[in-house]
Amino acid sequence: MATIATDTVHHRIVSHQDWIAARKEFLKKEKEFTRQRDEISRLRRELPWEKVEKLYEFEGPAGKVPLAGLFGNAASSSSITSCSAGLERGCPSCSYLADHSTR
């Protein structure tokens, strides 16, 4: 069930010229945020990879299958692994990203 906000926000009413000036100031902040987000994304991509040494096996139609063979030949280019961060279930953030992956 959707909720409707009952608090009314009162905005200042300004001339077009003043709105353009305020919008340009806000745009500077948006651009800076975009640059910071791009830098964070770049740093994330540069994080080292962890070597997987544990043998993960899954129950498939033909019996037990190792992680590397779970998806056949597509595994090397389209598999997504995520952290469990010591949780009983998958990491919510990693699960969200995997759920919304377009690849």
Side-chain angles (χ1 to χ4, degrees):
M1 178 177 192
T3 58
I4 299 173
T6 57
D7 294 338
T8 302
V9 177
H10 297 284
H11 295 278
R12 291 181 299 128
I13 307 297
V14 297
S15 68
H16 179 70
Q17 183 178 357
D18 289 344
W19 182 86
I20 292 291
R23 178 66 182 106
K24 285 181 180 181
E25 275 302 307
F26 182 74
L27 182 60
K28 289 178 191 177
K29 292 180 181 187
E30 279 186 315
K31 292 290 186 182
E32 180 57 29
F33 171 74
T34 298
R35 284 188 284 275
Q36 289 175 351
R37 187 183 61 225
D38 289 346
E39 175 66 6
I40 293 293
S41 296
R42 184 188 66 77
L43 292 171
R44 182 185 316 106
R45 288 188 301 272
E46 291 179 358
L47 283 171
W49 291 14
E50 179 182 1
K51 183 177 180 179
V52 178
E53 297 183 24
K54 180 178 177 181
L55 176 63
Y56 289 93
E57 289 188 327
F58 301 86
E59 192 67 37
K64 290 192 176 191
V65 181
L67 177 61
L70 193 59
F71 301 101
N73 294 334
S76 62
S77 64
S78 62
S79 297
I80 296 175
T81 58
S82 64
C83 69
S84 63
L87 304 172
E88 289 182 24
R89 295 184 176 169
C91 169
S93 297
C94 293
S95 296
Y96 176 84
L97 293 174
D99 287 346
H100 293 85
S101 174
T102 59
R103 188 147 196 226

